[in-house]
Amino acid sequence: QPAAIEHLSGCLERLGPSAREARDLRYGASLPLAEIGDKLRRSEGAVKLLIFRARQALRSCLDLRLRQDESH
């Protein structure tokens, strides 16, 4: 979906710095959760939750922006 790709950078910018870094380490650098936890000084469970919430935030942001596109 090209429209979703257009909105992705704006939605990524809305993530908090910890969520953005955790997402980058997980999906960009392909690091395991335990290693991300070490880098961010958080437990593995906290990193898992942070990444889960980041994905939810991105999904919500993209859904909202795509719905706005459809209504215009």
Side-chain angles (χ1 to χ4, degrees):
Q1 289 202 2
I5 293 170
E6 290 177 21
H7 292 302
L8 186 58
S9 63
C11 290
L12 285 169
E13 288 177 13
R14 294 182 55 149
L15 291 177
S18 294
R20 194 175 315 123
E21 185 174 8
R23 189 205 62 86
D24 290 346
L25 292 171
R26 181 67 173 164
Y27 300 113
S30 300
L31 294 181
L33 295 173
E35 195 169 334
I36 296 169
D38 289 343
K39 289 185 178 291
L40 298 182
R41 297 179 184 200
R42 295 178 182 227
S43 70
E44 188 173 332
V47 169
K48 193 174 183 178
L49 184 60
L50 184 62
I51 293 171
F52 173 77
R53 288 182 177 160
R55 279 196 321 261
Q56 281 186 316
L58 286 173
R59 187 178 299 117
S60 294
C61 179
L62 287 171
D63 285 347
L64 177 65
R65 290 180 183 211
L66 291 171
R67 274 188 268 123
Q68 288 173 340
D69 282 355
E70 289 174 0
S71 67
H72 291 135

